[in-house]
Amino acid sequence: MAVFPWHSRNRNYKAEFASCRLEAVPLEFGDYHPLKPITVTESKTKKVSRKGSTSSTSSSSSSSVVDPLSSVLDGTDPLSMFAASADPAALAATTVILLATDNSRKKRDRDDNSIVGSDFEPWASKRGEILARYTTTEKLSINLFMGSEKGKAGTAVSAMSEKVRTRLEELDDFEEGSQKELLNLTQQDYVNRIEELNQSLKDAWASDQKVKALKIVIQCSKLLSDTSVIQFYPSKFVLITDILDTFGKLVYERIFSMCMDNRSVLPDHFSPENVNDTAKETCLNWFFKIASIRELIPRFYVEASILKCNKFLSKTGISECLPRLTCMVRGIGDPLVSVYARAYLCRVGMEVAPHLKESLNKNFFDFLLTFQQIHGDTVQNQLVLQGVELPSYLPLYSPAMDWIFQCISYHAPEALLTEMMERCKKLGNNALLLNSVMSAFRAEFIATRSMDFIGMIKECDESGFPKHLLFRSLGLNLALADPPESDRLQILNEAWKVITKLKNPQDYINCAEVWVEYTCKHFTKREVNTVLADVIKHMTPDRAFEDSYPQLQSIIKKVIAHFHDFSVLFSVEKFLPFLDMFQKESVRVEVCKCIMEVFIKHQQEPTKDPVILNALLHVCKTMHDSVNALTLEDEKRMLAYLINGFIKMVSFGRDFEQQLSFYVEARSMFCNLEPVLVQLIHSVNRLAMETRKVMKGNHSRKTAAFVRACVAYCFITIPSLVGIFSRLNLYLHSGQVALANQCLSQADAFFKAAISLVPEVPKMINIDGKMRPSESFLLEFLCNFFSTLLIVPDHPEHGVLFLVRELLNVIQDYTWEDNSDEKIRIYTCVLHLLSAMSQETYLYHVDKVDSNDSLYGGDSKFLAENNKLCETVMAQILEHLKTLAKDEALKRQSSLGLSFFNSILAHGDLRNNRLNQLSVNLWHLAQRHGCADTRTMVKTLEYIKKRSKRPDMGHLTELALRLPLQTRT
């Protein structure tokens, strides 16, 4: 191809803007609107063929949207065909039963879950805490069921005595050697064995070995009578009752499934009259088998686990069984085993019949009558044998007692709660009871009677259950509900008298942590400061704080959660000394992050308070200094986000010099976090633009010097960044700011720095942890750069368009990918820039900056230089198009050829014959090998014909005639 001269067409930007503006059309009410819902009418035509009759058609319309997938299948998908071939009556019956079974199960589960409200804390939420708290290092033992089976005792006989004998023989088989004792198990081994038993239960049930499943449950229940390792008993109770719950659910589901047949489905709230005889017989059989268990504890637990099955037999079955089971517990001599049995009964009762509170209350009052057994000789002798002290033994009761109290007090009237509290008062050594009352009763009930509870706490004997634990429980309630205003100070004084006397740092901090929230909630910074000072006093000796970081963190979180005004927070004298106790770096950083998160969330207005700034600079410096070579990128990103949030909230108003001084100090403190440096550069650029806004673009000598200082700050800081595109974009942005503030030489320096940095752009860059090609990012940057270069005036000591020439040289020397067309796309953008530069008046300007249109005033030498550059660029584009004349590159050649054609159409003067001929050649090139997008070509030709109708575009009519459209076969 020959070299073609470039001739830019003259542009009238105002006229073009006017022609492109949308026409305003008044919209009548009821007209089409794009957000208005669309109603689709579907017409169906069905041909109905009957023997001896002609085909008839029927049509229907529907407002539903047509499903394109269904319309493709036309109702003949394989599943529909299979269903159509089946017996309709049998299929319908089977479907009804299956759906009913599934829906009934789902509704039943949902009803079971909604028996009590969401305000009732479920047992499942306590399970993990119990397992974590009650552990042991002693060896445990377990009797493992071996699964040996004897032949079934004869055939079924009708006599009741034979049935009883059969049941007893089946259960005796379990007791006659089908078990193996495993000794010297660690706690984890014990837990694994229990899980194996749970799985064995499910497997036995699935394989229809119901008796074996019952034997496993009996064996597990017997383990609850063993208190040889007493510290582990609460956790053992949790593990065993999980198995009992599984068994109870399996039995209930089995009987419920037997209540369904092909004719009827059991309703959700069924009555015994709805249950068929087979299901009732099976249910009775289970209760008879359980009644045959000789030992009390397994008989009690197994029957309690299937208590819900009484619904199949009698409407009053559950209400009759609960009092009987409550009385059965009286036969358990060990008070610890007894209280957990009562807890399980309350658990089952709340699940199946929460309205039967009388039985639950009876269970509670029975417990109060036997409470004194805890301090009896039998228990004391057992503790001596196991070497367990009373303060370690009494907390074993807490999970069970807390649960019993929670069940009894749930939605209970005030009178009942008062009666329960009065009964607890009358018992001696009632610290354990009092703690459970405060743990289980409603916080509002406790808070309104705070002084009464403090009086009871004072009267308690501290030998078995420490008073500070009682004050901790009281504090937990007061964090949830407010006591009477007149009592608040007295409550704090009474509690703190006890807390501050504690010698053990762990006991002290566990209690103080709770009461800090009460202090922050109801008192001023003076009381909070006193509490923090007391905590420092207790935790500093012997570096006791090192063992209590979680509690100290909790205190900090509670303080900052109530003091959102950081000027008040940092005026608390002991707050910063309190922070100094966090000596471990990881913990200290976490605390600093919490403080900054609260500041960013709650600080509404920018601040210049020196107290806040100094304190938060110290906090941010602590976070920044924790960064090292091993710090994860996510952690760096999080720290940078928090520090940037702080920087954005600092404002000295019109004192711009003080603001710049702050940014200088911040740069020196946070130099290891690149996102922070980027934010500082943006902040300084914004500061320069705010100065320009205040001066309305007319800088004085002082403000001109100030903006130059801002520009210098950015120019010095940008090279310290690692990210290549961060540097490129900030050089461009800062250069634009310098240009807007009439700092022309500084702007040139920024643009030259950006140009010199382009060769350093690597082929691949890291984006969110993945390596990606950089050329698309470089193209985006250069396009933005070209838009800025339009308004940059030439330097008087350099040649015409010296920045454009330097950039073109860099682009020419850059090593591009072999199969990449980005270089040509960049040259096309350069062509657009040079075309815009040849106009008499540019499309946009910077206020008070004379661009080249003003400097050269359409000078012929300037235009000649501009056209030479255009020709050079065009030659590069055409040369590249030549290299694409290979089979594998023809599609790229077609796409680039059409793109270049559109550029000439938009920016070139097609009245020039040679340029006109070039455009025709490019049109043919785009279609030559059948690779062009025909639709795009048609749209382009329509556009040319439309433009040719304008008065100044008549020459396009001839061009359109020379642009044929080729069709592909």
Side-chain angles (χ1 to χ4, degrees):
M1 294 183 183
V3 176
F4 292 86
W6 175 263
H7 293 269
S8 300
R9 73 181 181 91
N10 295 324
R11 308 285 292 273
N12 186 341
Y13 291 120
K14 289 185 179 179
E16 289 183 26
F17 277 133
S19 65
C20 294
R21 188 174 293 117
L22 294 176
E23 181 182 358
V25 179
L27 184 66
E28 296 293 335
F29 181 75
D31 284 359
Y32 166 77
H33 189 277
L35 299 181
K36 187 177 180 181
I38 300 173
T39 302
V40 178
T41 302
E42 177 187 0
S43 296
K44 297 179 181 178
T45 303
K46 299 180 181 177
K47 292 188 177 181
V48 185
S49 299
R50 294 187 181 89
K51 189 174 181 181
S53 66
T54 59
S55 62
S56 60
T57 62
S58 62
S59 64
S60 63
S61 64
S62 171
S63 62
S64 62
V65 179
V66 182
D67 181 7
L69 298 179
S70 300
S71 61
V72 170
L73 291 172
D74 195 26
T76 58
D77 63 283
L79 295 179
S80 299
M81 294 173 65
F82 175 78
S85 64
D87 181 11
L91 185 65
T94 305
T95 304
V96 167
I97 295 298
L98 289 175
L99 289 175
T101 304
D102 187 52
N103 291 336
S104 297
R105 183 180 291 110
K106 289 180 180 177
K107 288 181 180 178
R108 190 169 66 254
D109 292 342
R110 187 164 58 249
D111 290 342
D112 290 345
N113 292 333
S114 60
I115 284 176
V116 292
S118 58
D119 57 337
F120 183 82
E121 185 181 4
W123 174 259
S125 65
K126 300 176 181 291
R127 182 181 181 279
E129 181 185 350
I130 295 172
L131 290 174
R133 181 178 174 187
Y134 297 97
T135 60
T136 183
T137 56
E138 295 186 34
K139 298 300 181 181
L140 303 161
S141 62
I142 187 172
N143 291 323
L144 193 63
F145 179 62
M146 300 303 294
S148 62
E149 294 282 345
K150 290 184 179 180
K152 292 189 177 179
T155 57
V157 292
S158 57
M160 183 57 67
S161 60
E162 288 297 320
K163 286 188 177 183
V164 173
R165 188 182 303 114
T166 301
R167 293 189 189 102
L168 289 174
E169 287 176 355
E170 288 174 342
L171 296 177
D172 287 342
D173 176 43
F174 169 68
E175 298 174 353
E176 289 174 0
S178 61
Q179 51 186 321
K180 174 185 177 183
E181 187 173 15
L182 299 177
L183 304 174
N184 298 323
L185 297 176
T186 65
Q187 178 180 319
Q188 187 58 48
D189 292 336
Y190 189 92
V191 172
N192 293 339
R193 296 297 181 185
I194 295 295
E195 290 176 353
E196 288 177 13
L197 285 172
N198 201 354
Q199 188 58 45
S200 298
L201 167 65
K202 294 176 184 177
D203 294 342
W205 192 271
S207 59
D208 206 27
Q209 300 182 54
K210 304 297 188 294
V211 173
K212 178 181 178 181
L214 178 59
K215 291 175 181 179
I216 293 173
V217 176
I218 295 171
Q219 173 199 359
C220 293
S221 302
K222 283 186 175 182
L223 296 175
L224 291 175
S225 62
D226 175 23
T227 58
S228 57
V229 183
I230 204 164
Q231 300 96 323
F232 187 64
Y233 192 85
S235 293
K236 182 198 292 188
F237 171 80
V238 169
L239 296 170
I240 300 301
T241 52
D242 284 348
I243 296 178
L244 289 165
D245 294 341
T246 301
F247 176 73
K249 184 177 180 180
L250 290 172
V251 172
Y252 185 86
E253 293 290 349
R254 166 68 177 158
I255 299 172
F256 189 88
S257 65
M258 297 175 68
C259 298
M260 299 184 184
D261 53 33
N262 291 338
R263 298 184 307 276
S264 64
V265 177
L266 202 63
D268 295 328
H269 302 286
F270 63 89
S271 63
E273 290 77 16
N274 303 123
V275 181
N276 58 42
D277 292 341
T278 304
K280 285 185 177 179
E281 176 68 20
T282 303
C283 187
L284 281 170
N285 188 43
W286 277 111
F287 280 110
F288 290 151
K289 269 185 165 62
I290 293 168
S292 303
I293 300 173
R294 292 189 174 91
E295 295 185 30
L296 173 62
I297 290 177
R299 185 169 74 250
F300 164 80
Y301 273 107
V302 179
E303 183 175 354
S305 70
I306 66 166
L307 179 66
K308 189 177 180 181
C309 294
N310 280 283
K311 292 169 62 178
F312 297 109
L313 301 175
S314 168
K315 290 183 178 179
T316 59
I318 293 176
S319 60
E320 292 170 357
C321 280
L322 272 176
R324 180 171 55 80
L325 289 172
T326 301
C327 293
M328 283 176 65
V329 181
R330 296 175 182 174
I332 301 176
D334 190 311
L336 184 64
V337 178
S338 171
V339 75
Y340 276 94
R342 295 185 189 280
Y344 186 69
L345 188 59
C346 285
R347 206 174 114 195
V348 175
M350 286 298 290
E351 289 176 1
V352 302
H355 55 285
L356 298 176
K357 280 295 186 71
E358 295 81 6
S359 298
L360 298 179
N361 294 345
K362 182 181 178 184
N363 189 19
F364 168 72
F365 292 125
D366 270 8
F367 163 70
L368 291 184
L369 292 174
T370 59
F371 178 72
Q372 295 299 334
Q373 285 182 313
I374 295 175
H375 302 281
D377 293 338
T378 305
V379 172
Q380 298 300 324
N381 294 337
Q382 184 184 14
L383 296 182
V384 171
L385 288 175
Q386 295 198 31
V388 177
E389 298 291 335
L390 190 62
S392 300
Y393 173 69
L394 290 181
L396 300 177
Y397 286 81
S398 294
M401 290 175 58
D402 291 351
W403 179 256
I404 294 171
F405 277 76
Q406 178 182 329
C407 295
I408 301 303
S409 63
Y410 182 66
H411 288 178
E414 291 279 323
L416 177 60
L417 297 179
T418 304
E419 179 188 355
M420 292 165 65
M421 196 174 79
E422 290 300 324
R423 290 209 181 190
C424 292
K425 275 186 185 179
K426 295 176 182 177
L427 295 173
N429 297 323
N430 62 350
L432 182 61
L433 277 176
L434 195 56
N435 188 65
S436 293
V437 166
M438 290 189 289
S439 299
F441 280 22
R442 293 192 297 271
E444 295 79 10
F445 180 88
I446 304 296
T448 54
R449 298 164 176 79
S450 299
M451 292 307 300
D452 293 339
F453 277 96
I454 287 176
M456 287 189 284
I457 292 172
K458 287 181 176 179
E459 295 171 3
C460 284
D461 180 9
E462 201 168 4
S463 60
F465 202 90
K467 287 185 180 180
H468 68 85
L469 293 180
L470 299 175
F471 273 108
R472 187 178 189 278
S473 298
L474 178 60
L476 289 171
N477 282 282
L478 297 182
L480 300 173
D482 298 337
E485 190 171 352
S486 58
D487 295 339
R488 289 175 184 174
L489 183 59
Q490 187 179 356
I491 291 170
L492 179 62
N493 289 333
E494 292 291 344
W496 211 258
K497 283 179 187 176
V498 176
I499 297 169
T500 195
K501 291 178 182 177
L502 294 173
K503 302 299 182 185
N504 186 311
Q506 203 60 43
D507 293 341
Y508 171 84
I509 196 63
N510 285 335
C511 206
E513 171 201 355
V514 173
W515 282 90
V516 163
E517 185 167 4
Y518 174 79
T519 309
C520 295
K521 196 173 180 181
H522 299 295
F523 299 98
T524 64
K525 68 175 186 178
R526 185 172 68 87
E527 288 79 10
V528 173
N529 189 62
T530 303
V531 170
L532 293 182
D534 195 60
V535 174
I536 294 171
K537 176 183 174 183
H538 279 79
M539 302 307 294
T540 303
D542 300 324
R543 300 178 68 85
F545 54 77
E546 292 182 343
D547 299 323
S548 306
Y549 283 137
Q551 293 90 336
L552 295 175
Q553 281 182 269
S554 175
I555 290 175
I556 284 288
K557 289 178 181 178
K558 289 170 181 175
V559 171
I560 61 179
H562 289 87
F563 286 86
H564 296 159
D565 186 345
F566 274 69
S567 61
V568 175
L569 177 64
F570 289 124
S571 65
V572 175
E573 182 183 352
K574 294 298 181 180
F575 182 76
L576 291 179
F578 190 93
L579 291 181
D580 292 337
M581 285 196 294
F582 295 98
Q583 300 287 317
K584 188 177 179 181
E585 184 182 59
S586 59
V587 179
R588 186 167 69 249
V589 171
E590 285 301 316
V591 171
C592 292
K593 285 163 66 175
C594 291
I595 294 172
M596 293 310 303
E597 284 170 358
V598 172
F599 176 80
I600 293 171
K601 182 178 180 180
H602 295 288
Q603 185 70 22
Q604 301 295 329
E605 299 293 332
T607 182
K608 61 177 180 180
D609 187 326
V611 175
I612 295 178
L613 296 188
N614 290 331
L616 291 185
L617 276 173
H618 172 71
V619 169
C620 291
K621 177 68 173 170
T622 300
M623 295 192 298
H624 169 270
D625 291 348
S626 68
V627 175
N628 54 43
L630 300 178
T631 306
L632 298 175
E633 288 300 319
D634 285 346
E635 178 70 8
K636 289 182 183 179
R637 203 161 22 244
M638 181 62 182
L639 296 177
Y641 163 76
L642 296 173
I643 296 174
N644 285 343
F646 164 62
I647 291 171
K648 292 175 185 177
M649 293 306 296
V650 176
S651 174
F652 290 88
R654 287 291 186 88
D655 192 349
F656 293 157
E657 292 181 347
Q658 185 66 32
Q659 188 83 33
L660 182 60
S661 298
F662 170 77
Y663 292 144
V664 170
E665 183 182 2
R667 180 178 62 186
S668 65
M669 296 178 71
F670 310 126
C671 56
N672 290 331
L673 287 172
E674 184 159 318
V676 178
L677 294 179
V678 171
Q679 176 61 43
L680 288 171
I681 293 169
H682 283 305
S683 297
V684 172
N685 279 327
R686 188 179 71 245
L687 186 61
M689 294 305 292
E690 286 177 2
T691 306
R692 178 181 182 272
K693 182 179 179 180
V694 170
M695 300 303 294
K696 298 180 180 178
N698 299 310
H699 283 298
S700 64
R701 181 178 296 178
K702 182 178 181 181
T703 58
F706 176 75
V707 295
R708 283 196 294 271
C710 292
V711 169
Y713 178 101
C714 297
F715 194 77
I716 293 170
T717 309
I718 292 174
S720 63
L721 303 178
V722 175
I724 187 77
F725 282 99
S726 294
R727 282 184 281 164
L728 284 171
N729 287 312
L730 285 172
Y731 273 133
L732 178 58
H733 182 224
S734 301
Q736 291 167 345
V737 171
L739 196 63
N741 284 282
Q742 301 128 51
C743 301
L744 302 184
S745 59
Q746 287 85 350
D748 283 349
F750 278 115
F751 297 142
K752 286 179 181 178
I755 292 171
S756 65
L757 197 58
V758 169
E760 298 180 20
V761 175
K763 297 293 178 293
M764 305 291 288
I765 56 173
N766 190 317
I767 303 292
D768 295 332
K770 296 181 180 180
M771 300 304 293
R772 301 187 184 279
S774 63
E775 288 189 355
S776 60
F777 297 96
L778 183 57
L779 174 63
E780 180 184 0
F781 165 74
L782 290 175
C783 289
N784 291 334
F785 199 177
F786 295 147
S787 300
T788 302
L789 289 179
L790 174 64
I791 52 174
V792 177
D794 281 345
H795 196 283
E797 297 179 3
H798 298 83
V800 176
L801 302 177
F802 75 102
L803 287 176
V804 177
R805 291 178 187 277
E806 286 188 20
L807 187 54
L808 283 173
N809 291 335
V810 168
I811 294 169
Q812 178 64 30
D813 295 337
Y814 186 79
T815 305
W816 302 89
E817 293 291 337
D818 294 336
N819 296 323
S820 171
D821 298 321
E822 300 296 347
K823 181 178 179 180
I824 304 307
R825 292 191 175 91
I826 291 171
Y827 279 145
T828 305
C829 293
V830 173
L831 209 56
H832 301 167
L833 168 64
L834 294 173
S835 175
M837 283 183 163
S838 66
Q839 304 301 316
E840 290 185 9
T841 304
Y842 290 171
L843 179 59
Y844 45 86
H845 296 86
V846 174
D847 190 31
K848 295 182 175 56
V849 174
D850 292 330
S851 299
N852 285 340
D853 58 343
S854 300
L855 294 178
Y856 293 108
D859 182 72
S860 57
K861 291 182 180 180
F862 171 75
L863 295 178
E865 289 291 333
N866 187 296
N867 288 337
K868 282 182 182 180
L869 278 178
C870 289
E871 291 171 9
T872 304
V873 171
M874 286 176 64
Q876 293 285 342
I877 295 173
L878 295 174
E879 185 64 30
H880 184 76
L881 286 172
K882 278 185 183 180
T883 64
L884 298 178
K886 301 174 184 176
D887 291 343
E888 67 274 7
L890 292 177
K891 192 168 184 179
R892 289 166 52 201
Q893 186 188 55
S894 173
S895 175
L896 286 176
L898 183 59
S899 175
F900 190 26
F901 172 85
N902 287 328
S903 295
I904 294 175
L905 183 64
H907 299 280
D909 186 358
L910 290 173
R911 288 173 294 191
N912 180 275
N913 292 333
R914 296 185 68 184
L915 201 57
N916 192 297
Q917 182 60 45
L918 174 60
S919 65
V920 173
N921 293 346
L922 290 169
W923 181 269
H924 287 289
L925 179 66
Q927 299 184 101
R928 180 174 300 168
H929 301 286
C931 298
D933 183 353
T934 305
R935 187 176 180 183
T936 304
M937 303 292 283
V938 171
K939 293 279 187 183
T940 304
L941 189 56
E942 289 176 357
Y943 171 72
I944 294 171
K945 291 177 179 179
K946 183 177 179 181
R947 283 189 60 188
S948 67
K949 296 177 182 179
R950 296 183 185 176
D952 58 337
M953 293 291 176
H955 58 281
L956 294 181
T957 304
E958 181 185 352
L959 176 65
L961 296 175
R962 301 173 63 193
L963 303 178
L965 284 174
Q966 296 180 3
T967 58
R968 286 183 292 174
T969 59

